[in-house]
Amino acid sequence: MIRLSALRSTLVCLLAALGATPAAALIENVTTNRAIELRADKLPSASVISNLTAGAKLTVLSLEGGWALVEAGRQQGWVRAGALQMPAGTSGAAGMASGRSAPGGPAVALTIRSLGGPGSRHALLIAVGRYADQEGSALPGAAADRETALQIAQTMQVAARSTRVLADDQATIDAVRKAFFELAGRAREGDRVFIHLAAQGSQQADASGACAAGLLMHEGGRGGFLSHADLAQMLQPLLRRTDKLLLVIDAGGAAAGAPVAGWTNVNDEGALRSRHRAVGAPCPPGARPAALADELARGGPLSGETIILAPLAGDPALEDEAKGGLLTQFTRDCLLRDAREAATSGGADTVRQCVQAKLNARMNGDPVLRPPRIGLTGNPGAALMPPVRSGP
Amino acid sequence: MGFLQRTADTIQARLGRLGAMRSARVIGTLLLAFCIWILLDNHLLHVSTGLAEPTYDLMVRSRLRAAPPDPRIIVVDIDEASLERMGREFGRWPWPRDTLATVLDHIEAQQPAAIIWDILFSDPDRLSPGGDSAFDAAVMRSRRSHFSVVRLPESADRNSEIRRPVLPGLWARPGAAGDTATVALIPPFLASVAAAPLGLTNAYPDPDGVIRRHQPVQPLPDGGVLQSMGLAVLKSLQPEAWEARLQAAAVSPRRELIAWRKLSQDYPHVPFADVFDLAEGQAPQARVPSFAGRIVLIGATATALHDFHPTAVSARQGGVDTLATLIDNELNQRVLAELPAWAQSALAMLMCLGITLLVRYRSLSALDGALIALPAVLLGISFASLHTDRVFLDLHLATGSVVIFLTVVKLWAGLRRRHWCGVPVLDGRPIALQPILAEPAWTDAGHNRLMTLLERHAPDCRLLLPGGGASRADWAEFRRFAALVGPPDQLQAAAPALRQGVTGLGGTLGVCEILPDIPDRGALVAAALAAWLPLARPSPNTPQEASS
C-alpha cells in the first residue's frame, strides 16, 4: 500500500513536470460502466495490460485527452474516460432557470448540439428459466443469461431506464407481446435496439399440420408457445423503424441422441443442457419448420443494419448450467473482446465466426453432441463492435 | 355577355376620362401617390422586399469576385464520413465527449490561434459521464477554446435567472447598473465551458427563412452587451480592433448584411475522424494539415445533423461555414454597409420626380428604352457595389419604383393620346380643319406639345395624325403632316396661341377651313390631305435621309 501510494505520487509529480497537470487526479472509487481494456498507454494501439469488467472499481490519477490514467488494484494503465462512471463539474448556469422551459418561438442557431442520447437505444431482455407447467426441465442458465445480456446492453450504451427485463414468470406470452408493443412505441426512427431471448426452443404441428418452430414462454406447454411467425410479426415495426437491431435467440432445436441435461465434456467443467422441449403435437416426420429468417422475409427484405444471431434451424442451443447459454456467453465475449483480437473487421459476421469458434472449442470431442451451428441473418457486414486497431 | 360588355364600356369610358385630364394634374397626382407608397412600403409595409430579397440572393450568387477566405480558418468537420467511421467504435452522434477531449488536446498542443466549438454543450452525457469529465479537464487546459451559446427569444428573459456573473465570457460589456438583466439562453453544462470565452451563434433569418444578416452584439436593458462568436474571437486575437468594433456596434446595434465568400464552402474542411485518428496515433485517411496559428472551427456538415440553413449565397449552407464567414468578417473588418432606409426612399422619389419632369417638359418618348435601361443600370450599380465587400447600394426600391412609375405613366400617355387623337367634340357645331406642316417631321415630343396646346387653348379640338400618329411610320414623309380639327369658333379663338406654339415647335400652321358639313372620318382625312397639299413643299431632307 505504501509502495502504491509512493508510485502514485511519483507519477503525479512526473505528469505535472511534463506539463500534463492531472486535472482530476486521485479520484477514488470510480467504476467502469462497461467492460474495457486497461492499456499501457493512452492509445488504442497500446498493449492491453488486463481486461476490466463492467463495474470494476478504479482510482483515477489523471485525465489526458480522452483517456484516464487509472489504478486498478495493483495495476496502472489507461482506459477511455468515456467508460468511467465519473461525473464532471457542472457550471453554475446549469443549475439555474435559463428560460428554456418558457413558451416562445424557437431560436435559430448556426450550431449543432452535443446531447446525450440515452433514449435512442433500447434493450429488451427475456430469459425464461422456470416454467409454470413444470412438465419439462427448467433452464438454470437463464439467470446467468440475464446478467450477460445486460452487459451486452451496457456495451451498446443502452441506459438502464431504456432496458426492459422479463424473467421467468414475468415472461408470459401476453407480457412478451406487450413488451414488444411498448418497445415499438418507444423506438423512434434511427434508434438502436438489442433484443435477447433465452428460453426453451420448441416445435409443434399447427392446426394445418405444418411444422412451426418457436420458443416456450413461461406458461410452457401449448399455451406458452411463441412461434417464429408470431415473433416475426412483433419484430416488423422495429425492423422498419430502427437504425440497428441486434437480436440474439439462445434457444434451439432438439439435440438428437443427447440427454436432456447434465452431461459434461473435457473442455469445461460446467454441465451442459439442451434448450429444447417438445410440446403439443409432434411435427410430421421429415417436416422442416420455417426459420425466423424465413418468417421475417415475408415482411420484405431486412434493413441493412439488422443482425440476428441464433442456432441454424434444427440445430440445438446449449447452456452451461452455471454460466448460461453458450451462444449468449460467447456473443458477449466476442463483442467485448475476442472478436476484436481475432479479426480485422468489426462486422457482425466476424462476431458470428468468433462465437462459432468458441462453440467448436467448447464442444470439441464431446461424447454426445457435435457443435451446433450458429446462423447470422441480416447484414453480415453490419458494425457490431469497435474497429480493430493495429497493435504496437 | 351583356354584363361584360357594359363593364368593359364603363371601364373604357372612365379610362377615357383619365386621358382627358390635364397632364400636369395627372402626372403630379401620380408622383404624389408614388411618393406616399414608397414611404409606406419602405418604412411600414415592406411589400417590395419580397422582390428585393431574391434579387439580392441572385446578385450574391452571381458575383464575379469576393473577398478570399482568411487562410487561417480551417474547419474540423463532423461530416458523414466521420459519423460512419467514428460510429463503428462510439456509436452514433453524439459520441462520448472523451472523443472531443482527445481532439481538443491534439489541436491545442499545436498552438492554434483559436479553437471555436460550433457545438452546444448544454446537457450532461449520462451514459458516459467520464467523457464529460475528460472534456471538462481538456477545456480547462485549453487556452484558446471558444464556445457557442444560443440565446432564446427575449420574451423568455424574465423566466431566466442567468446573469453575467455565471457566464462572464458571453458579456462584451457589463451592465451599467450592476448586471441586473437576466438572459434566456441554452447554458453550457460543464463548468470549464461556462468559464471560457463564449459567443452567441444565433442565426437571424429574414421572414423568408434566408439568412442574410447577423447581429454582432445584443444590448440588454441594463446596458450590458452580449457578443456574437465573431466578436468573441476578435477579442481574443485583436483586442484593440474588438474595442473599436464593440464601440461602433454597441452604439447602433442592428443586424448587418453578411459579406459572403464566393462559394458556400470556401474554407478548408478536415474530417473529424482523420483528426481523431491522428490524435490516437493512427494513420488518417487523408493528410491533416497543421493547426499551428490556425483558427480552428469544430462543427458539423453531416447531413444527418441538420446544421444547414438557406443563405444568400447558397440554398443549403452549413452552419459552421456561415460561422466561419462571420468570424472571418470580424477579423478582417468586413462590414457590409447599407443605404439607410430614408436614403433609399429619397432616391426612389427622386427617380420618379426626374421621370415626371422629363415627361412634362420633354415627352414620354424621351424615356423610350428607359423601362429596361434604367432598372438595369440601377441593379447594375447595386451588383457592382457588392463587389466592394464594404457597401451594398440597395437600389431595389428605386428600381421597382421606376419600373412601376414608368409603366403607369406610359399607360396614361396611351390614354391621353387616344383622347387627343380621337373625334372632336362638336355638340352641333360645324367642324373646321387647320393643317400643320413640320420640317423635317413631327416627333412624339411635338405631338405631345400639340396635345398640350389643345388641352390649354382648344379643349374640344383634336389632332389628326396620318397613320394614327405613328411616329415611326414606314413612310417617313407622312410625319411632316398633322391637322387640328374641331369647332371653328374654338380654333379661331385659340389661333394666336396655337400659331405661336406651332411656330415654336418648328411647324407651320395652314389656313383654317370650315368644312361644309360634318364629314365622317374618311371624308375628314380626305379634307386633311387636300389641305396639306398647298402647305407641302419639298423637304430639305430627302426621303431616304428621313427614312434612315
Side-chain angles (χ1 to χ4, degrees), chain B residues 268-308:
Chain B
H269 285 227
V270 185
F272 184 95
D274 277 341
V275 181
F276 183 78
D277 278 346
L278 199 61
E280 293 260 281
Q282 306 294 312
Q285 288 187 357
R287 194 184 75 82
V288 176
S290 165
F291 295 112
R294 309 289 294 268
I295 297 162
V296 185
L297 282 93
I298 302 171
T301 63
T303 305
L305 298 184
H306 308 296
D307 187 19
F308 287 92

Side-chain angles (χ1 to χ4, degrees), chain A residues 250 263 273-275 316-320 324-327 363 369 372:
Chain A
D250 202 346
W263 85 93
R273 179 181 291 253
S274 162
R275 286 186 166 178
L318 302 175
E319 74 165 35
D320 180 312
L326 299 189
L327 173 58
M363 301 304 290
L369 273 183

